[in-house]
Amino acid sequence: MTDDDTTPQIHTPVLLERCIELLGPALQQPGSVFVDATLGMGGHSAGILERFPDVTLIGLDRDQDALAIAGERLARFGDRVHLVHTVYDGILDAVRGLGYDEVQGILFDLGVSSLQLDRVERGFSYSKDAPLDMRMDATSDLTAAVILAEYSEADLRKIFRDYGEEKLAARYAQKIVEARQTRPFVRSAELVDVITRATPVAVQRQGHPAKRVFQALRIEVNQELSVLERAIPAAIDALAIGGRLVVEAYQSLEDRIVKRELQTRSVSSAPAGLPVELPEHRPELKLLIRGAELANDDEKAANPRATPVRLRAAERVRRAS
């Protein structure tokens, strides 16, 4: 934040040059359309629009604050920019709603944005006391406070285990249910206190004990994984032949979903033993990166937010029959 704490700090986009390099061959053709499915404050999109002067942008975000900031930042590109308030599994509706049948490039930069992390009142950080909100879209009803007040112990245990990969999920769920009998959880510091007191000292030395619980709550509030499971197939369906998809994931649960869909659609669907591969069985995608690409040491030093990133990319080579 700036000194007056009203203007958001514009952070360096993660792996911007590498994303441009991967998307570039698909965006060089005249009239190309690029979808930034996780627009944020528009850093990646600004880089694309500057580098490719004939590209039209469709920017998606569920966060209206982000859309407003990106709108100001990208205003200089005029009618090349179309911003849509939607969750990214609405990508096909957004593209078709603007009159396009297909697009040439799509980028997903997953996880919580710099804007959401930096605005303490949004409640995403376990390190600063704030209301237990965690909504990426302030117009939605479900908050972290509602989850902590209303979910059963079994449901809390499940989301901490499945979405946070938390080994102490059962203990934390039990302690939270016990604590809420006295008073509801309203602020993040109250939750951090309960988790910390429930965590053995030896475990606390391995990192902040609330990190995985906060991740799990954020994913549940925003339904991030179920949305992503719908969004990646929809994005592939929106790509033109020769179009490219680039995805930046920051934790293993997201990356697993992306990896599975890209791998499934980049191999032949022909039954084993078939003497000739029919056209309808040929792969839809060609992978552009072997496995997941990580940020190099220079990138991590220049932009610490790149440290956990896993980058995957693919090109559309065939339409599904």
Side-chain angles (χ1 to χ4, degrees):
M1 292 288 185
T2 58
D3 290 339
D4 64 7
D5 203 37
T6 58
T7 304
Q9 182 181 344
I10 301 298
H11 292 276
T12 303
V14 172
L15 294 177
L16 174 61
E17 288 303 318
R18 181 59 172 143
C19 290
I20 290 174
E21 179 185 6
L22 288 164
L23 290 164
L27 298 179
Q28 287 172 348
Q29 57 181 291
S32 292
V33 178
F34 165 65
V35 179
D36 190 337
T38 50
L39 181 67
M41 290 185 284
H44 284 101
S45 288
I48 291 288
L49 291 167
E50 287 168 356
R51 204 70 57 92
F52 303 98
D54 197 40
V55 162
T56 295
L57 166 71
I58 300 175
L60 315 181
D61 211 294
R62 66 172 87 187
D63 189 327
Q64 291 178 314
D65 289 346
L67 286 171
I69 293 165
E72 292 181 10
R73 185 179 191 181
L74 302 174
R76 60 194 169 100
F77 298 105
D79 59 6
R80 295 171 61 199
V81 175
H82 304 277
L83 305 186
V84 183
H85 179 228
T86 186
V87 186
Y88 44 72
D89 62 346
I91 184 170
L92 278 173
D93 287 340
V95 167
R96 290 168 182 167
L98 288 166
Y100 298 100
D101 294 323
E102 58 188 21
V103 302
Q104 283 65 47
I106 301 173
L107 172 68
F108 286 84
D109 184 17
L110 299 172
V112 64
S113 73
S114 300
L115 172 65
Q116 291 155 351
L117 283 172
D118 290 346
R119 289 196 167 169
V120 174
E121 71 275 10
R122 302 290 293 271
F124 286 96
S125 175
Y126 49 80
S127 61
K128 297 174 183 176
D129 186 31
L132 280 163
D133 192 320
M134 300 193 194
R135 290 174 297 174
M136 293 178 176
D137 182 352
T139 66
S140 62
D141 296 324
L142 187 62
T143 66
V146 170
I147 291 171
L148 293 168
E150 299 181 1
Y151 278 32
S152 68
E153 182 177 333
D155 286 340
L156 290 172
R157 180 173 66 246
K158 185 176 188 301
I159 67 168
F160 297 161
R161 182 192 66 221
D162 294 352
Y163 297 163
E165 300 179 291
E166 175 53 67
K167 294 177 181 178
L168 296 176
R171 179 183 296 193
Y172 292 156
Q174 178 189 2
K175 295 300 182 183
I176 286 168
V177 170
E178 289 176 1
R180 76 186 185 190
Q181 305 304 318
T182 305
R183 61 173 183 170
F185 289 92
V186 177
R187 301 189 64 85
S188 56
E190 299 164 354
L191 177 59
V192 169
D193 181 59
V194 169
I195 292 171
T196 302
R197 285 191 281 110
T199 306
V201 174
V203 176
Q204 291 186 36
R205 296 195 190 104
Q206 299 170 16
H208 199 294
K211 179 179 179 179
R212 294 179 182 275
V213 169
F214 270 65
Q215 173 182 300
L217 287 170
R218 190 201 82 218
I219 289 172
E220 177 68 10
V221 166
N222 299 291
Q223 296 295 297
E224 292 174 50
L225 298 183
S226 58
V227 167
L228 185 61
E229 286 176 337
R230 296 188 295 270
I232 298 301
I236 294 169
D237 291 343
L239 280 177
I241 299 298
R244 291 187 167 199
L245 169 68
V246 173
V247 185
E248 295 177 289
Y250 297 84
Q251 41 100 342
S252 60
L253 298 171
E254 295 171 336
D255 185 56
R256 215 170 292 153
I257 291 170
V258 177
K259 175 184 176 181
R260 183 174 64 239
E261 188 65 26
L262 295 190
Q263 286 189 336
T264 297
R265 294 171 78 159
S266 63
V267 297
S268 173
S269 61
L274 202 67
V276 177
E277 182 185 52
L278 299 174
E280 61 265 29
H281 292 307
R282 290 173 186 159
E284 291 179 61
L285 300 178
K286 176 181 72 174
L287 299 183
L288 301 173
I289 294 173
R290 186 168 189 155
E293 188 171 297
L294 307 178
N296 61 33
D297 291 340
D298 290 341
E299 177 83 16
K300 292 175 186 177
N303 187 3
R305 292 174 191 249
T307 300
V309 73
R310 298 171 174 92
L311 181 73
R312 296 184 187 271
E315 179 178 318
R316 184 85 179 266
V317 295
R318 183 183 73 81
R319 294 192 187 283
S321 53

